[in-house]
Amino acid sequence: MSNKLKLRGHMKAFMSWPLILCALLVVLNILVYITDVKAGIVVSVGILIYIGIAVVVLRCHKPFVVNDLIAFANQYDTLEKRILEELALPYAIMDMNGRLIWSNKVFAELTGKDQFYRKNISSIFPDVTPDKLPSAGKKEISEISTQVGDRIYRLSMQRVSMGEVIANSELFEKVDKSPDLIAMYMYDDTELTEYIQKNEDNKLVVALAYLDNYEEALESVEDVRRSLLIALIDRKITKYFSNFDGLVKKLEKDKYFLIMRQSSLETLKEQRFHILDEVKTVNIGNEMAITLSIGIGLNAANYLQNYEYSRIAIEMALGRGGDQVVIKNGNNITYYGGKTQQVEKTTRVKARVKAQALKEFMSTKERVVVMGHKITDVDALGAAIGIYRAGRTLGKTVNIVVNDPTTSIRPLMAGYMNNPDYEPSMFVNSAQAKELVDNNTVVVVVDTNKPSYTECQDLLYMTKTVVVLDHHRRGSEVIENAVLSYVEPYASSACEMVAEILQYFSDDLRIRNMEADCLYAGIMIDTNNFTTRAGVRTFEAAAFLRRSGADVTRVRKLLRDNLESYKARAEAVRTASIYRNYFAIARCPSEGVDSPTVVGAQAANELLNIAGVKASFVLTQYNDEVYISARAIDEINVQVMMEKMGGGGHMNIAGAQVKASPDEVERMLKEIIDQEYQEENVK
């Protein structure tokens, strides 16, 4: 066999060098002949003898050289396999489906499987699912982290082509498509992971803590005991955070600056910040319990940015009603607490200040454009009518943006259309509003503070003067370019807020009967006839509107339902099911109903009248979306639940819009109920 093998390349040149040298000797022999013929003959004889010996030696020793090369190659291949098999790095080979073909000794010892274990890799590492394997035709490395015992390993998987090996093999015929294998290496990242985790745990977290109702609580305590109440609160807060290696510095009488490690924050998350409940237990005769709000910022580029995050978070916590923790982690915002209804403010100073600010903004512009949320309801329309009257009092042109009037607001709008006392352009759609808005326009948003929920979001960016008036709690999505933002979650409705503003707007402002009816209707709808979220200021606003000419009988006629809407609401109540003993879930039919979302909200209110129901959820499919109307009495916080579905609202009144099927939305809702049920232990 060795005689049939032919060398090539450098080895062939090396073995042929004696013959190549013969050519040089022949040239030298010619030169000798030229000098001396006899000497040339002698040299020729010597060259012939040399050539003969070289040929004999080359032919005789070539097989031995080839055999030695083959033996070395065989030994080298064996050594290479032995090195791979005894490699300290765990190594395995799989097919493209993840079935193991071979592994080295270290891999077998680590996994407890034989080197020729033939089952799928997922039977050893459940984390390695088929979608995590390298896909065919791509050369990128796929990596995944997994745990084996108390060690953490990084599995690195790479596709290896077998086309060249098969092409050079005599065992297989030529194939069109090259078969591939997967080579997997295991790297021990335990120490690296531990160091990374320690680094994360030791990051500093900045927080701001504010006492929500400091002044109000002190007023309910005797003067001699006020210092004791303050001392007890300070001690409670300082001791609590000191137990978690936190540093507390009092900035003002009701404000604290906090610094803690990120690992401490994780512990507080697990305990769900029970400091919120502990502060409420401080009682030395005060009629009002103290509530605490905390804003936390972390994972920013620097400490100054972390502080800015905490400031944004505390503003959001206060804007949502207080008694809660808001964590701003980059662009992600998480909420904890918020289970207490915000105490209604007895002073109207804020309303007066906001009214004067609104008047100043309107006075400097030529036009006022008002819009509410999509699918404008009675509260949004009533608030817009109130702003309309304020703008007209200043002699400004006012337009209200309403795209698709629902049956609930058409009776209210009918009184203004074709009415000589009102301009024909009083109501406009989004396209018409875009042509009107410029930098000399004030855009007033009522009954929502989310830009995506407005009737025409583009209007917010077409002028520099944007005003927001809303009574819903703030979420992660807010109108950021507002020059004036009046968001009060304690208010029952946007109409209540606007009614208060109108009282301080101008001395010569006179509300007409029709306009007072709209504002009164908005309060009635959002308070469910003054039974939900109706406070002292709600009735004061209603009394002001009554004095301005609002008539309860006229409002009742305007708010009456048609027969189809009444049947749809009754059907939703009839088909409702009770989940986990306390949660009513129903679906409202939308076919043949002009305003199915309004009917769904009414059905949710109706379900709360059933004994034992603590929260109701009505799902309405409309315009390729499912609208959820959530209602509760006092024990359940439906706002937190709706925020998890992308919505929001108040503790007792909330909603969401989800682009999914009703079955999918109901499944999501039940999962959230399960989670809240376990966390709150609803009984």
Side-chain angles (χ1 to χ4, degrees):
M1 177 180 178
S2 59
N3 291 326
K4 296 180 181 180
L5 294 175
K6 295 182 180 181
L7 299 174
R8 62 181 180 178
H10 295 291
M11 182 57 68
K12 180 179 180 181
F14 178 77
M15 294 295 294
S16 303
W17 75 265
L19 297 179
I20 297 173
L21 188 59
C22 292
L24 179 60
L25 294 176
V26 171
V27 174
L28 292 175
N29 191 21
I30 294 173
L31 296 175
V32 172
Y33 266 111
I34 296 173
T35 306
D36 189 342
V37 176
K38 292 182 179 180
I41 295 172
V42 174
V43 172
S44 297
V45 173
I47 291 174
L48 291 174
I49 294 172
Y50 170 79
I51 293 174
I53 294 173
V55 171
V56 172
V57 170
L58 185 62
R59 290 182 61 85
C60 294
H61 286 270
K62 180 182 176 182
F64 297 105
V65 172
V66 172
N67 289 339
D68 289 343
L69 290 174
I70 294 173
F72 174 77
N74 186 49
Q75 292 174 2
Y76 184 83
D77 185 55
T78 304
L79 179 63
E80 189 179 43
K81 290 180 180 178
R82 185 174 178 182
I83 292 174
L84 184 61
E85 186 173 341
E86 297 183 359
L87 184 67
L89 187 69
Y91 174 79
I93 298 176
M94 307 175 289
D95 61 18
M96 293 303 294
N97 295 322
R99 185 180 296 275
L100 284 166
I101 298 175
W102 177 86
S103 62
N104 64 357
K105 291 182 179 179
V106 180
F107 185 93
E109 292 173 359
L110 182 66
T111 59
K113 304 297 182 181
D114 185 74
Q115 286 185 262
F116 297 97
Y117 183 74
R118 287 291 183 271
K119 293 187 178 180
N120 198 282
I121 188 65
S122 59
S123 63
I124 302 176
F125 305 117
D127 295 334
V128 185
T129 53
D131 59 298
K132 301 291 178 62
L133 297 173
S135 56
K138 295 183 180 179
K139 295 185 178 181
E140 73 269 8
I141 298 175
S142 177
E143 294 188 342
I144 186 173
S145 181
T146 189
Q147 188 164 350
V148 180
D150 58 348
R151 310 294 292 179
I152 298 174
Y153 287 89
R154 173 167 50 92
L155 307 182
S156 179
M157 297 172 285
Q158 185 175 12
R159 185 179 64 87
V160 179
S161 176
M162 295 295 293
E164 186 176 349
V165 176
I166 292 178
N168 296 331
S169 174
E170 296 181 356
L171 296 175
F172 305 99
E173 294 182 357
K174 292 183 178 181
V175 293
D176 297 333
K177 189 176 181 181
S178 171
D180 296 332
L181 297 177
I182 297 176
M184 183 175 73
Y185 301 88
M186 295 180 63
Y187 300 96
D188 192 341
D189 283 351
T190 306
E191 292 185 2
L192 177 61
T193 304
E194 289 177 354
Y195 287 134
I196 293 175
Q197 188 60 46
K198 286 181 180 178
N199 183 56
E200 289 292 322
D201 291 343
N202 290 326
K203 282 184 177 179
L204 286 184
V205 175
V206 180
L208 292 171
Y210 290 1
L211 298 175
D212 302 322
N213 52 344
Y214 178 83
E215 296 290 348
E216 291 83 355
L218 285 186
E219 290 176 359
S220 64
V221 181
E222 299 175 3
D223 292 345
V224 295
R225 309 186 72 179
R226 289 183 180 180
S227 58
L228 177 59
L229 177 63
I230 297 170
L232 289 175
I233 294 172
D234 290 347
R235 183 175 179 273
K236 179 77 70 175
I237 294 175
T238 303
K239 184 178 179 181
Y240 178 82
F241 287 102
S242 297
N243 292 334
F244 298 98
D245 296 330
L247 175 65
V248 181
K249 177 67 176 177
K250 191 170 185 178
L251 299 177
E252 298 179 26
K253 57 186 178 181
D254 58 347
K255 296 179 175 61
Y256 303 85
F257 179 72
L258 312 173
I259 295 178
M260 70 189 82
R261 294 188 303 168
Q262 193 158 316
S263 57
S264 301
L265 176 62
E266 296 302 322
T267 306
L268 293 175
K269 285 182 181 179
E270 293 175 1
Q271 297 180 357
R272 302 193 67 79
F273 295 93
H274 57 74
I275 181 62
L276 300 178
D277 297 322
E278 288 188 12
V279 170
K280 298 174 190 174
T281 62
V282 178
N283 192 318
I284 58 170
N286 46 299
E287 299 175 1
M288 183 181 297
I290 298 287
T291 60
L292 181 70
S293 293
I294 303 175
I296 301 175
L298 67 152
N299 284 333
N302 50 56
Y303 294 141
L304 185 61
Q305 188 66 40
N306 269 343
Y307 174 77
E308 184 65 19
Y309 280 179
S310 67
R311 189 186 62 78
I312 295 173
I314 192 65
E315 287 181 359
M316 188 168 292
L318 296 175
R320 288 164 53 84
D323 187 33
Q324 58 192 281
V325 178
V326 177
I327 301 175
K328 182 171 174 56
N329 184 354
N331 293 326
N332 297 323
I333 297 178
T334 311
Y335 308 100
Y336 292 88
K339 308 299 182 184
T340 304
Q341 189 71 43
Q342 184 177 6
V343 179
E344 184 180 28
K345 307 292 184 182
T346 57
T347 175
R348 293 190 184 182
V349 175
K350 192 172 184 179
R352 177 176 57 80
V353 172
K354 298 294 184 181
Q356 293 302 314
L358 177 62
K359 181 179 179 181
E360 291 179 7
F361 284 122
M362 285 186 174
S363 299
T364 58
K365 304 297 179 182
E366 294 182 357
R367 183 184 299 273
V368 179
V369 174
V370 193
M371 65 175 172
H373 50 75
K374 295 177 181 176
I375 312 180
T376 304
D377 58 8
V378 178
D379 186 31
L381 179 65
I385 294 294
I387 299 299
Y388 171 87
R389 176 45 52 199
R392 293 300 298 154
T393 301
L394 297 177
K396 307 298 179 181
T397 303
V398 186
N399 304 98
I400 301 175
V401 182
V402 179
N403 287 321
D404 298 311
T406 60
T407 54
S408 61
I409 65 173
R410 285 175 192 165
L412 298 174
M413 293 176 60
Y416 300 95
M417 296 179 176
N418 301 322
N419 189 329
D421 295 333
Y422 296 91
E423 299 82 2
S425 61
M426 177 179 178
F427 296 103
V428 296
N429 56 33
S430 295
Q432 294 169 331
K434 289 180 182 179
E435 297 178 357
L436 300 174
V437 174
D438 53 25
N439 281 331
N440 207 17
T441 304
V442 179
V443 173
V444 182
V445 179
V446 295
D447 204 29
T448 183
N449 57 57
K450 292 187 176 183
S452 61
Y453 279 24
T454 57
E455 280 279 31
C456 183
Q457 186 174 350
D458 295 339
L459 299 183
L460 301 176
Y461 313 108
M462 297 175 67
T463 180
K464 295 181 180 179
T465 311
V466 177
V467 177
V468 178
L469 304 174
D470 187 30
H471 67 112
H472 298 99
R473 290 187 175 189
R474 288 181 180 176
S476 56
E477 181 190 1
V478 295
I479 299 174
E480 297 179 352
N481 61 329
V483 295
L484 176 63
S485 181
Y486 186 22
V487 179
E488 288 293 356
Y490 69 79
S492 67
S493 58
C495 286
E496 175 190 328
M497 296 175 62
V498 172
E500 287 186 347
I501 288 175
L502 294 178
Q503 296 178 60
Y504 299 103
F505 192 82
S506 177
D507 293 336
D508 57 349
L509 186 146
R510 296 293 180 268
I511 303 177
R512 299 180 181 178
N513 294 351
M514 290 174 53
E515 297 163 354
D517 287 346
C518 290
L519 286 161
Y520 194 88
I523 296 176
M524 282 186 60
I525 290 295
D526 271 29
T527 59
N528 193 17
N529 291 326
F530 298 95
T531 60
T532 304
R533 295 181 50 79
V536 174
R537 290 173 65 172
T538 306
F539 288 101
E540 289 178 351
F544 164 72
L545 295 173
R546 288 279 285 151
R547 290 194 301 270
S548 299
D551 184 271
V552 179
T553 304
R554 284 201 307 266
V555 172
R556 183 180 178 185
K557 289 181 178 180
L558 291 172
L559 298 179
R560 286 188 298 180
D561 295 329
N562 58 37
L563 184 59
E564 294 300 326
S565 297
Y566 194 90
K567 287 182 178 179
R569 184 169 72 249
E571 180 66 15
V573 175
R574 186 186 70 83
T575 58
S577 60
I578 305 299
Y579 184 67
R580 283 188 172 270
N581 300 325
Y582 308 111
F583 302 94
I585 301 177
R587 297 187 186 184
C588 180
S590 57
E591 296 181 2
V593 181
D594 291 332
S595 304
T597 57
V598 175
V599 176
Q602 294 171 346
N605 288 327
E606 290 284 344
L607 289 170
L608 286 183
N609 295 327
I610 299 174
V613 173
K614 296 183 178 181
S616 62
F617 304 89
V618 176
L619 281 57
T620 307
Q621 190 170 17
Y622 183 60
N623 289 341
D624 298 326
E625 287 185 319
V626 175
Y627 290 75
I628 308 174
S629 294
R631 300 291 186 271
I633 297 179
D634 55 356
E635 299 178 48
I636 309 298
N637 188 339
V638 292
Q639 176 215 358
V640 175
M641 302 171 75
M642 290 298 98
E643 282 180 340
K644 293 182 179 180
M645 301 191 74
H650 298 284
M651 282 184 57
N652 302 332
I653 302 175
Q657 303 173 17
V658 184
K659 288 188 176 181
S661 65
D663 292 336
E664 181 68 15
V665 173
E666 184 171 342
R667 183 190 62 78
M668 294 166 57
L669 179 61
K670 288 182 177 179
E671 289 179 356
I672 293 173
I673 291 175
D674 292 339
Q675 181 181 354
E676 292 294 321
Y677 185 89
Q678 294 170 0
E679 290 178 354
E680 302 300 328
N681 296 319
V682 180
K683 295 180 180 180

